[in-house]
Structure formats: C-alpha cells, structure tokens
Amino acid sequence: MNPNPVSDVVAFLTQPGWPTYVFWLLILASIAIALYAWTQLPEQRQSRHIANWLFRFLIGAMWWQQTLWKLPPSYTDHPEQPFGDTGLAYWMGQMGKHAAIPLQADFVNNIVLPHFYWFAPVVYGLEVLTAVSLILGLFVRLFGVIGALQILNLWLGLYSAPGEWPWTYFFLLVLQLIFAVHQYGRSLGLDAIIVDRYARRSPHGAVSDVVLEALT
C-alpha cells in the first residue's frame, strides 16, 4: 500500500525515541499556550488568530520532522553508510555540485564539508530552534527571518539538483517571511503573552520597544 497522509502522521507521532516524546511535549505546550492566551487576552478571541496558530504550528512541525534525519552525533538516519552518502553530509554535497552561485558551491566544498562536524551542529540547532519558535509562538519574527535565510540557502544551493523543484523552497521562503512580517507569534503564542505583559508594565517609546518589535 502506498503511503498516505494519515498513516504518515500516525507513524510520525508514534515513532519510538526521544524526539517523539519532545515533540509531544511541544504539542501540549502549544495547546496550553493557545488556551491561556485565548482565555486571558480578549483580543486573541478571533478566528484569524486560531488560523494563524494552526498554520504556524503545522510549519513548525514540518521543521521538527526535518531534523529527524539529521540527528547528532552522526547527522544522518543511516550512520552505517559511508560519509557523504546519506543525511546532512549528502545534501551538503549536493549543494556543492548544484548551487546556483559558484561562490556558494566553493564555500560548501572547500570550507563546510572539510569541517562538517563544526557546521552540522549549527545547522541542526538552527532548525530545531526554528521549529520550537513556530510551535510555541516564541520570537517568531526573529526566527521567521532566520528560517527564511536557511531556506534561501537551500533554494540557491539545490537550485539545479536532480529531482528538486526550486519553487518548493521558494514557497517555504515566502511562508517564513509571512510569519515574520505579520508576527504570527502574536496569535495565540508566547509572543502575544509577552507583548501583553510588557504593555502593562512598561512605558512606550523605550529602547526595549524596538527590541520587542524585532523579536516578536
């Protein structure tokens, strides 16, 4: 039988291992945050905030799922295979071969791949943080931009890779920018709670206003 969305979701949510347990905690935390914001902040009780929360959560789940095939310490889901044949190293190798900009290919081939175990934790960590940010609605403006930059790297790096459709990455890039520009964390997320508490306690016009606007 061919895979289908229902079986794929069930397998994702029941796969043994610590990432599944952490993801379930993130699900419960996201729901708890949304319920708190809904009950405590009257301005959050709008259907558009529910929609924004759902869209943000689903893309956050996508980011989380995409970390599962590059888990440390090997950064691949097939550590028994030779280095570069699977996982993160394989896709970095593809970027070194198919990047749209020669300078990016040279950087990957001459700096990133020879020092793979320096760069791999950074890539993995940023993806995890982007997932957590979207799921919980925390600092979504900041990580919307960070996520967009990660996708930009993939879009250009895999632009001519066989079997890849560049528009896939471009659509994800646009989604990340939408989350940042429209501040999706302020829809039933921690950003909404943070902004509300800050507004109650602090005068407007301070430097912290600028910082808060940049983060949330």
Side-chain angles (χ1 to χ4, degrees), residues 47-213:
S47 58
R48 70 179 179 90
H49 286 306
I50 298 176
N52 289 348
W53 167 73
L54 181 61
F55 300 152
R56 171 170 54 76
F57 176 86
L58 290 174
I59 300 302
M62 181 277 296
W63 277 96
W64 182 265
Q65 186 184 47
Q66 291 307 301
T67 68
L68 301 182
W69 57 265
K70 57 173 79 76
L71 293 173
S74 57
Y75 301 97
T76 175
D77 50 354
H78 291 286
E80 73 283 358
Q81 298 293 322
F83 178 82
D85 284 0
T86 63
L88 184 58
Y90 169 80
W91 287 106
M92 285 183 172
Q94 292 295 298
M95 293 174 69
K97 296 175 183 176
H98 303 291
I101 301 174
L103 183 62
Q104 183 183 14
D106 290 342
F107 179 75
V108 170
N109 289 326
N110 299 322
I111 297 178
V112 175
L113 284 173
H115 303 92
F116 174 78
Y117 289 104
W118 291 4
F119 286 92
V122 176
V123 173
Y124 173 76
L126 286 175
E127 290 192 13
V128 168
L129 289 174
T130 302
V132 172
S133 170
L134 292 177
I135 292 171
L136 302 183
L138 177 63
F139 301 152
V140 168
R141 171 161 278 189
L142 172 63
F143 280 97
V145 173
I146 290 174
L149 292 174
Q150 293 177 79
I151 297 298
L152 177 64
N153 178 59
L154 292 174
W155 178 50
L156 294 174
L158 299 175
Y159 195 81
S160 62
E164 294 293 310
W165 189 40
W167 277 107
T168 301
Y169 298 106
F170 192 78
F171 290 148
L172 286 172
L173 171 63
V174 172
L175 274 176
Q176 288 296 133
L177 293 177
I178 289 174
F179 291 156
V181 170
H182 294 284
Q183 299 172 295
Y184 269 46
R186 299 191 185 191
S187 290
L188 301 177
L190 281 173
D191 285 347
I193 298 170
I194 292 170
V195 169
D196 177 75
R197 293 191 176 182
Y198 174 80
R200 294 171 185 268
R201 297 178 182 178
S202 302
H204 293 291
V207 174
S208 52
D209 285 349
V210 178
V211 175
L212 194 66
E213 191 69 18

Side-chain angles (χ1 to χ4, degrees), residues 13-36:
L13 294 175
T14 58
Q15 183 177 355
W18 66 264
T20 302
Y21 306 138
V22 173
F23 184 68
W24 272 105
L25 290 175
L26 290 171
I27 292 175
L28 296 175
S30 183
I31 294 172
I33 292 164
L35 290 174
Y36 178 87

